[in-house]
């Protein structure tokens, strides 16, 4: 049968008044069909053929009526559509000629009634802008899909909510979550951190204190269901806009997280969802007052205070019932970040807590204008804070231990607040007996000396880098300078073993001979002389080390190159602390010495600390391997689950053969050289002395196969800022605390000559090591490896003096100069005339302003120590901060 054609009658016939099939085409007219319409073709309907009813002319009965309607519409300019009433309609449009009329602009013409213009009509003539809508799903399908999806999501939430149990067990130690720091025996406490909370009933807490906390932490607390969706959205916006004053968690959520067991502190979506479910359920089972009471009894406020009562005592020395609305507002403001606020206030910066204080009062006034409106403009300066009490936890030598442990833990992501609040067990490397013996040895040998003369000790296990013991002072509270870790001083001749290591690593042997000339001049370096300006002639490496012959090591450094010497020293951990001293411009002290002081580095112009010295010499005691020094073995939770593991990086710096041969030369120093006083009987000992010109820095660094210990001494004197007048000092060597640090200039001054490297430092080392190794197994050093080949820089004498052996040069009595061996001392780096050392500025060197000089004098904030504020790994000091002006 005939298929209907687009826009017309069956067979493609246009109906009366219709537009042509193609825009611009002329209307068809067939003879015998008035009006241009041919006779209708029969169509199938109900299985039989029949014709539509027509008038005598062959036209449909309704056709005449349609024509009339079309003409009237054209005359009226309405563009009415024809073809209505049983015939598929075509959308009318305006043609180029406008509406109305027959012919080009009339009925059936382009744009006339029933016609269409370009881009109009059905089918392929439909505008393209409307075609894409055909591919959109029906809105009913969309809505149905959304409903099904929503039902599924809400169903899953409902199931998860139903399966979340209401917590019943409080966290272990919820009333006491302080941490314990242990000695290395894992059972003897060094200190217990944190305080017990003093629980109070909600009835004891003034309403204005409750309202202050609610105003900042969760304004909808009294009416919400445990969560606050609007608060979450507000918090998100505040965070994005940088004006955050309120967190997303409600008081109920915070209480659940801090009080109940099973809700971890980890940051995850799963934990947050669980917390929300628990908060909603708790809100249904507990009264709001009970929730608030628990919350205010567990929350941390700073200054070691947990709970509102402890905070009231710590900050205002009042019981909770005596707090004013302003004091309550201040404490409420501290909840957000108590650890940070403590640090800022200790530094005299109250801006953050002042802002929180004002926000709390404003919010209180909005919540209840009648009760709190009058406090909205209260002055922060009117608050009367209680004097900060220094905890006895930091008193004595244990304060130095806690200080370095806190710094190490902070570098690994655990803050002092964490230690005060999370109930950790911290296992350190420190040996209690060794710590006590270190203090005893120093005090015995320095009794009667000026208080400005200081000694430091550091002992390290060469196998793993653990700091077994150290000495920095007697009372951290009154003198918090942790000298064993922070005080950088010139290494002097104690640096020479690294030059020897580079020599051996280059394939040269201990049997090589070098001219021990009295004085040598090298490019970029002022003349370097031996102690006493002594000339030794051609000597081998063992004699050069035992006698600490400066000119020999300068020549060795030239042969192996200074960068190679620096590489070995740096891989042994030497010179890293100096990076935190602004005078070094962020450089390692050894690199700085190579760049600025050239060949002076070979005789010890680089600045080091006692712990760096001890850890550095581990490469000789541990077959060429170095383990980074550290003070923490592990950290666990109260239940023993791990938090941090030991962090000890071990690397091979020199070969075992080079380490063994270097140890042979270092043994000669003790057998009959400048360090003979270090002899402790049948136990083998190796080491090196070091003293710079003027006896301003003195060292002895020595080791057995089990322990490496460094002892350093220096004299640091405070002057007025102009440097013209010494200031009076107390028994710790500190000036009056009434004097501002900015008005103090520290100078290094010469010590008595008996404090040279072979003197008091070696005696302290001997006394201490004899005590702490008394019960150790006697172990031997590895035998000489005879690595490398002879590489002479000078012609040896026909019959050179025999090399010291275990049988030669019997150990001299204490105080002897080593059986004729020259004393370690003169000719090493010193401060040039007219220059003074700033605190911990170990860069003072020889020179007259030309190449090789150290950094110019300049102020170093807080002595420029590694633990100074702003430096990586900065120490967290107890409050109030003890004077730190002592180098």
């Amino acid at each position: 049968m005939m298929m209907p054609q687009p826009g017309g009658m069956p067979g493609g016939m246009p109906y009366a008044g219709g537009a042509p099939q193609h825009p611009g085409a002329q209307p068809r007219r067939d003879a015998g069909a008035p009006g241009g319409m041919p006779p209708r073709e029969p169509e199938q309907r109900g299985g039989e053929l029949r014709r539509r009813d027509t008038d005598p002319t062959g036209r449909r009965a309704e056709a005449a009526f349609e024509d009339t309607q079309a003409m009237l519409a054209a005359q009226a300019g309405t563009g009415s559509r024809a073809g209505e009433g049983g015939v598929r309609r075509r959308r009318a449009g305006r043609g180029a000629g406008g509406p109305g009329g027959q012919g080009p602009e009339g009925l059936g013409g382009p744009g006339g009634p029933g016609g269409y213009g370009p881009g109009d009509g059905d089918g392929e003539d439909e505008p393209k802008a409307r075609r894409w809508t055909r591919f959109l799903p029906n809105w009913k399908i969309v809505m149905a899909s959304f409903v099904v999806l929503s039902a599924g999501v809400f169903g899953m939430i409902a199931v998860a909510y139903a399966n979340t149990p209401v917590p019943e067990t409080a966290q272990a130690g919820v009333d006491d979550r302080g941490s314990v720091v242990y000695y290395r025996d894992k059972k003897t406490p060094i200190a217990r951190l944190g305080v017990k909370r003093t629980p109070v009933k909600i009835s004891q807490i003034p309403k204005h204190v409750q309202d202050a906390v609610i105003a900042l932490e969760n304004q909808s607390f009294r009416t919400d269901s445990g969560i606050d969706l609007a608060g979450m959205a507000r918090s998100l916006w505040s965070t994005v806009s940088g004006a955050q004053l309120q967190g997303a968690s409600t008081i109920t959520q915070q209480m659940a997280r801090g009080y109940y067991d099973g809700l971890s502190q980890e940051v995850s979506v799963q934990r947050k969802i669980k917390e929300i479910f628990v908060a909603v359920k708790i809100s249904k089972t507990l009264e709001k007052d009970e929730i608030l009471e628990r919350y205010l009894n567990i929350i941390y406020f700073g200054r070691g205070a947990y709970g509102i009562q402890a905070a009231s005592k710590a900050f205002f020395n009042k019981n909770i019932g005596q707090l004013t609305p302003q004091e309550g507002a201040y404490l409420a403001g501290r909840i957000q970040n108590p650890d940070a606020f403590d640090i800022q206030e200790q530094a005299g910066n109250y801006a953050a807590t002042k802002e929180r204080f004002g926000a709390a009062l404003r919010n209180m006034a909005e919540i209840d204008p009648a009760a709190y409106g009058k406090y909205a403009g209260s002055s922060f300066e009117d608050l009367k804070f209680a004097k900060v009490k220094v905890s006895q936890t930091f008193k004595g030598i244990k304060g130095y231990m806690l200080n370095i442990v806190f710094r190490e833990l902070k570098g690994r992501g655990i803050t002092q607040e964490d230690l005060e609040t999370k109930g950790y067990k911290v296992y350190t490397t420190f040996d209690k007996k060794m710590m006590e013996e270190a203090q005893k040895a120093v005090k015995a040998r320095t009794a009667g000396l000026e208080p400005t003369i200081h000694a430091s000790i550091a002992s390290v296990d060469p196998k793993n880098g653990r700091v077994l013991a150290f000495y920095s002072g007697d009372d951290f509270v009154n003198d918090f300078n942790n000298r064993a870790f922070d005080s950088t001083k010139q290494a002097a001749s104690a640096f020479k073993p690294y030059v020897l290591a580079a020599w051996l690593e280059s394939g040269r042997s201990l049997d090589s001979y070098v001219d021990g000339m009295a004085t040598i001049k090298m490019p970029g370096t002022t003349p370097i002389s031996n102690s006493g300006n002594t000339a030794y002639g051609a000597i081998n490496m063992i004699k050069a080390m035992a006698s600490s012959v400066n000119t020999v090591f300068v020549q060795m450094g030239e042969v192996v190159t200074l960068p190679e010497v620096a590489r070995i020293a740096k891989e042994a951990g030497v010179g890293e602390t100096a990076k935190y001293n602004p005078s070094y411009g962020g450089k390692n002290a050894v690199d700085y010495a190579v760049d600025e002081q050239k060949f002076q580095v070979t005789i010890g112009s680089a600045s080091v600390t006692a712990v760096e010295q001890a850890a550095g010499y581990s490469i000789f005691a541990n077959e060429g391997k170095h383990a980074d020094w550290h003070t923490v073995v592990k950290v666990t939770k109260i239940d023993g689950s791990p938090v941090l593991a030991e962090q000890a990086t071990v690397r091979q710096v020199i070969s075992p053969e080079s380490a063994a041969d270097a140890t042979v030369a270092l043994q000669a120093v003790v057998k009959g050289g400048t360090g003979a006083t270090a002899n402790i009987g049948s136990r083998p000992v190796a080491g090196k002395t070091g003293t710079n010109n003027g006896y301003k820095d003195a060292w002895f660094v020595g080791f057995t196969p089990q322990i490496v210990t460094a002892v350093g001494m220096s004299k640091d004197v405070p002057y007025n800022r102009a440097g013209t007048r010494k200031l009076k000092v107390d028994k710790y060597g500190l000036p009056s605390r009434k004097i501002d640090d900015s008005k103090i200039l520290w100078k290094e001054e010469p010590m008595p000559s008996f404090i040279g490297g072979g003197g008091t430092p070696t005696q302290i080392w001997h006394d201490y090591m004899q005590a702490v190794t008394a019960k150790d197994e006697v172990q031997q050093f590895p035998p000489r490896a005879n690595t490398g080949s002879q590489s002479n820089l000078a012609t040896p004498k026909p019959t050179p003096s025999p090399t010291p052996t275990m049988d030669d040069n019997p150990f001299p009595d204490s105080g002897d100069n080593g059986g004729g061996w020259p004393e370690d001392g003169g000719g090493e780096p010193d401060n040039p005339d007219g220059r003074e050392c700033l605190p911990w500025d170990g860069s003072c060197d020889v020179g007259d302003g030309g190449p090789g000089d150290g950094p110019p004098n300049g102020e170093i904030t807080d002595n420029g120590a590694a633990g100074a504020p702003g430096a990586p790994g900065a120490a967290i000091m107890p409050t109030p901060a003890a004077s730190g002006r002592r180098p």
Side-chain angles (χ1 to χ4, degrees):
M1 69 179 181
M2 303 283 295
M3 298 297 294
Q5 298 300 314
M9 302 293 292
M13 293 286 186
Y15 60 83
Q21 294 184 10
H22 303 285
Q26 295 296 320
R28 288 179 52 193
R29 298 213 177 251
D30 291 12
M37 294 295 295
R40 300 279 300 177
E41 294 291 334
E43 59 183 7
Q44 188 77 31
R45 181 177 295 181
E48 60 179 344
L49 294 173
R50 69 179 181 85
R51 294 182 180 274
R52 290 182 180 272
D53 295 333
T54 58
D55 64 9
T57 62
R59 300 180 65 207
R60 290 181 296 112
E62 64 270 29
F65 175 76
E66 292 174 355
D67 288 346
T68 302
Q69 293 295 317
M71 292 177 62
L72 292 174
Q75 292 174 0
T78 60
S80 300
R81 299 187 184 203
E84 299 179 6
V87 182
R88 186 169 179 264
R89 294 184 301 162
R90 181 189 297 272
R91 283 174 42 184
R94 291 184 181 271
Q102 293 285 338
E105 297 182 2
L107 186 61
Y116 61 92
D120 202 2
D122 290 330
E124 68 269 24
D125 297 322
E126 185 177 0
K128 293 182 180 180
R130 297 179 179 273
R131 293 180 185 175
W132 66 269
T133 60
R134 296 181 177 180
F135 300 98
L136 289 179
N138 186 282
W139 68 270
K140 295 180 181 179
I141 297 176
V142 173
M143 290 302 296
S145 300
F146 177 76
V147 170
V148 172
L149 179 61
S150 299
V153 171
F154 283 110
M156 288 188 291
I157 293 175
V159 171
Y161 175 78
N163 291 329
T164 300
V166 177
E168 296 180 355
T169 305
Q171 294 180 6
V174 71
D175 291 327
D176 182 10
R177 299 178 65 192
S179 299
V180 183
V181 182
Y182 294 95
Y183 284 103
R184 72 166 176 161
D185 65 3
K186 297 181 174 61
K187 59 183 180 181
T188 305
I190 297 174
R192 297 181 184 275
L193 309 172
V195 297
K196 281 186 176 292
R197 299 178 180 87
T198 305
V200 291
K201 296 295 183 182
I202 193 68
S203 59
Q204 297 174 267
I205 304 173
K207 187 175 185 301
H208 53 255
V209 176
Q210 299 177 36
D211 288 345
V213 173
I214 292 172
L216 273 185
E217 291 298 310
N218 180 194
Q219 292 185 22
S220 65
F221 170 72
R222 296 289 184 188
T223 58
D224 64 36
S225 60
I227 60 173
D228 181 9
L229 297 178
M232 293 178 185
R234 185 168 56 251
S235 175
L236 177 62
W237 170 251
S238 297
T239 301
V240 173
S241 63
Q244 183 168 355
L245 288 176
Q246 179 175 321
S249 294
T250 63
I251 286 175
T252 307
Q253 288 174 262
Q254 294 180 59
M255 185 278 286
R257 186 167 61 242
Y259 185 85
Y260 288 108
D261 195 20
L263 285 176
S264 67
Q265 299 292 326
E266 67 178 2
V267 178
S268 68
V269 174
Q270 183 180 6
R271 194 273 299 167
K272 193 67 177 177
I273 292 174
K274 183 178 180 181
E275 176 189 298
I276 290 173
F277 289 164
V278 169
V280 172
K281 290 194 171 185
I282 289 174
S283 187
K284 292 181 177 180
T285 58
L286 296 180
E287 295 293 334
K288 289 291 186 179
D289 279 353
E290 188 173 355
I291 293 173
L292 186 60
E293 178 183 305
R294 290 184 181 183
Y295 174 75
L296 291 176
N297 278 320
I298 65 171
I299 201 71
Y300 181 62
F301 288 87
R303 289 195 186 181
Y306 313 102
I308 191 69
Q309 169 65 14
S312 180
K313 295 290 289 185
F315 288 93
F316 300 106
N317 197 26
K318 295 179 178 180
N319 286 318
I320 184 64
Q322 299 173 305
L323 289 183
T324 66
Q326 294 93 327
E327 291 166 343
Y330 171 80
L331 293 180
R334 277 191 141 266
I335 294 174
Q336 183 190 57
N337 199 342
D339 188 39
F341 294 152
D342 276 350
I343 294 173
Q344 292 172 22
E345 289 192 350
Q346 287 173 28
N349 180 7
Y350 289 84
T353 46
K354 184 175 181 179
E355 179 183 356
R356 296 285 295 171
F357 167 79
L361 291 176
R362 289 192 299 272
N363 288 3
M364 291 169 69
E366 291 177 4
I367 292 174
D368 191 344
Y372 306 121
K374 60 185 175 182
Y375 301 115
S378 297
S379 173
F380 182 85
E381 286 69 24
D382 290 338
L383 293 174
K384 303 297 182 183
F385 294 107
K387 184 178 180 181
V388 180
K389 296 180 180 179
V390 178
S391 171
Q392 293 300 304
T393 299
F394 291 89
K395 193 165 182 62
I397 63 173
K398 64 182 178 181
Y400 297 101
M401 288 184 274
L402 295 176
N403 169 257
I404 194 61
V405 166
F406 283 5
R407 287 158 59 177
E408 183 173 329
L409 290 177
K410 184 177 181 181
R412 299 188 64 188
I414 295 180
T415 66
Q416 183 175 352
E417 180 183 349
D418 293 331
L419 294 172
E420 297 278 2
T421 61
K422 294 186 177 179
Y424 291 144
K425 292 183 178 180
V426 181
Y427 298 94
T428 74
T429 61
F430 306 129
D431 184 285
K432 187 174 187 293
K433 182 179 183 296
M434 293 177 69
M435 289 291 300
E436 293 169 348
E437 290 293 345
Q439 182 184 33
K440 180 180 176 181
V442 171
K443 295 186 75 172
R445 289 290 183 174
T446 60
L449 295 178
E450 296 178 52
T452 54
I453 296 176
H454 296 278
S456 60
I457 294 179
S459 288
V460 172
D461 185 332
K463 298 293 192 295
N464 49 38
R466 294 178 180 177
V467 180
L468 301 176
F470 68 96
Y471 176 81
S472 291
D474 293 321
D475 187 1
F476 184 77
V477 172
N478 291 292
D479 177 16
F480 74 75
N481 298 287
N482 214 337
R483 296 177 183 84
F485 299 92
D486 299 334
S487 183
T488 57
K489 299 295 181 182
Q490 286 185 329
S493 286
F495 187 84
K496 290 174 182 174
Y498 301 112
V499 182
L500 176 60
W503 178 269
L504 296 171
E505 284 289 281
S506 70
R508 298 171 172 83
S509 74
L510 289 175
D511 294 329
S512 302
Y513 281 79
V514 179
D515 185 0
M517 61 188 74
T519 301
I520 190 170
K521 178 68 174 73
M522 300 298 290
T525 306
T526 54
I528 298 173
S529 301
N530 295 324
S531 176
N533 206 34
T534 303
Y536 291 84
I539 57 174
N540 64 19
M541 300 295 98
I542 297 177
K543 177 67 180 292
M545 183 66 75
S547 301
S548 197
V549 183
N550 291 338
T551 57
V552 169
F553 287 90
V554 171
Q555 294 172 75
M556 292 166 64
E558 181 182 31
V559 171
V560 300
T561 74
L562 298 184
E564 179 62 12
V565 172
R567 181 190 68 79
I568 291 176
K570 289 189 298 178
E571 288 189 8
V574 175
E576 285 296 297
T577 303
K579 287 182 176 180
Y580 307 124
N581 184 326
S583 294
Y584 290 89
K587 289 184 179 179
N588 177 286
V590 181
D591 284 335
Y592 182 90
V594 170
D595 293 342
E596 301 295 329
Q597 299 153 339
K598 304 299 186 291
F599 287 91
Q600 292 280 356
V601 73
T602 62
I603 59 171
S605 64
S607 298
V608 297
T609 65
V611 73
E612 286 179 348
Q613 292 274 57
Y617 271 46
S618 293
I619 66 173
F620 306 115
N622 188 30
E623 300 181 329
K625 294 187 287 290
H626 171 76
D628 293 336
W629 68 264
H630 56 283
T631 65
V632 176
V633 176
K634 66 177 179 178
V635 179
T636 70
K637 296 180 181 178
I638 291 177
D639 61 6
S641 57
V643 176
L644 286 181
E646 185 171 11
Q647 191 174 52
T649 303
V650 180
R651 55 183 173 272
Q652 193 79 41
V653 178
I654 59 176
S655 69
E657 294 76 17
S658 294
D661 283 0
T663 299
V664 169
L666 293 172
Q667 283 182 278
V669 174
V670 178
K671 291 175 183 178
T674 59
T677 306
N679 169 39
I680 53 176
S682 61
R683 188 179 301 279
V685 171
K688 184 69 186 76
T689 56
T691 314
N692 66 358
N693 281 343
Y695 297 90
K696 293 179 180 178
D697 297 321
W699 294 93
F700 183 75
V701 186
F703 55 96
T704 67
Q706 297 103 316
I707 303 174
V708 185
T709 295
V711 178
M713 295 185 71
S714 64
K715 181 178 181 180
D716 303 284
V717 183
Y719 279 74
N720 63 349
R721 196 62 189 172
T724 57
R725 176 175 55 84
K726 288 184 180 181
L727 303 178
K728 292 182 179 181
V729 297
D730 58 18
K731 65 179 181 179
Y732 302 104
L734 298 172
S736 170
R737 292 176 182 171
K738 294 181 181 180
I739 302 175
D740 189 87
D741 284 350
S742 63
K743 298 179 180 178
I744 301 173
L745 174 68
W746 290 93
K747 298 183 181 183
E748 277 196 288
E749 293 189 349
M751 296 178 288
S753 59
F754 63 81
I755 302 182
T760 306
T762 307
Q763 293 167 353
I764 292 173
W765 189 96
H766 168 274
D767 297 348
Y768 164 73
M769 287 292 284
Q770 188 172 52
V772 301
T773 63
K775 296 182 179 181
D776 288 351
E777 176 189 357
V778 176
Q779 298 180 4
Q780 301 299 320
F781 291 120
R784 177 171 171 172
N786 289 309
T787 187
S789 59
Q790 188 171 5
S791 180
N792 297 332
L793 301 184
T795 303
K797 296 178 182 179
T799 54
S801 300
T803 299
T805 66
M806 288 293 292
D807 298 324
D808 295 330
N809 298 307
F811 298 120
D813 294 332
S814 178
D816 196 308
N817 69 357
W821 293 101
E823 291 186 275
D824 185 34
E828 298 184 13
D830 186 27
N831 311 324
D833 292 339
R835 284 201 47 203
E836 308 296 350
C837 281
L838 287 172
W840 290 321
D841 180 4
S843 63
C844 295
D845 54 78
V846 299
D848 56 2
D853 286 343
N857 270 344
E859 294 187 20
I860 300 177
T861 304
D862 287 338
N863 299 325
I876 304 175
M877 313 308 296
T879 54
S883 172
R885 297 171 293 171
R886 173 69 218 176

